Amino acid sequence: MTNELSLTVRYCETDRMGIVHHSRYYPWFEMGRTAFFKQMGYSYGALEKEGVQLPLTETHCSYLKGACYEDELIIQTRLTALTAARCEFSYTVLRADEKLAQGRTVHGFVDGQFRPIALKKKRPELWQELAAVLWTDSEK
């Protein structure tokens, strides 16, 4: 499964050179993750209230080309790794069919007190649904 989120670059997201500041990509990734879960029928906020949180443990982004004010972008979000204890999302930022950035984030599964949990045991139905939409190498 790939979630595609459309957005328009706002003026406040650009730097003095007129391109999107590198720090703005991470909020876009978060928006993509939230939309990914919503597409699956889950609310990120509701999951947290139910005791399943996904704190960020690792992040990376390669900036290939600059985006500018008022560019229409697509943020593609995919689940690319899943274990009982963590998951990884990959992101592609596109302007039309032009790839501007490629990123990824790794998240652990923890409870409301930030204790690690095995999602496969705590929420087996959610884990199975995530496993069903896991992006595989054959789909790349």
Side-chain angles (χ1 to χ4, degrees):
M1 179 180 104
T2 300
N3 177 270
E4 292 197 349
L5 176 73
S6 299
L7 62 88
T8 302
V9 175
R10 300 174 301 165
Y11 186 79
C12 66
E13 294 171 316
T14 62
D15 61 18
R16 188 171 173 173
M17 295 177 284
I19 59 172
V20 172
H21 191 267
H22 66 275
S23 66
R24 299 308 308 154
Y25 287 80
Y26 292 101
W28 294 347
F29 294 171
E30 182 178 336
M31 291 166 60
R33 260 190 332 276
T34 300
F36 182 92
F37 275 100
K38 189 175 281 188
Q39 182 176 337
M40 288 185 62
Y42 288 94
S43 159
Y44 211 83
L47 286 174
E48 289 183 343
K49 288 178 185 172
E50 296 169 9
V52 177
Q53 298 185 12
L54 288 87
L56 186 68
T57 61
E58 185 179 334
T59 187
H60 175 78
C61 188
S62 293
Y63 307 97
L64 308 171
K65 294 184 179 182
C68 301
Y69 175 55
E70 294 187 333
D71 278 353
E72 299 289 330
L73 304 180
I74 301 289
I75 312 300
Q76 293 180 332
T77 304
R78 298 178 176 104
L79 179 67
T80 50
L82 178 67
T83 70
R86 79 182 91 218
C87 62
E88 177 184 284
F89 289 91
S90 293
Y91 312 89
T92 304
V93 179
L94 301 167
R95 177 178 50 220
D97 289 330
E98 183 179 27
K99 188 187 295 187
L100 304 182
Q102 188 75 39
R104 70 182 183 87
T105 58
V106 180
H107 305 263
F109 296 118
V110 301
D111 65 14
Q113 286 72 47
F114 289 93
R115 292 182 302 238
I117 60 171
L119 187 67
K120 194 172 185 176
K121 290 181 182 179
K122 181 170 176 89
R123 292 287 304 274
E125 74 291 342
L126 174 58
W127 194 89
Q128 288 174 346
E129 289 182 48
L130 288 171
V133 298
L134 185 62
W135 188 259
T136 62
D137 285 334
S138 65
E139 295 173 291
K140 293 180 182 173

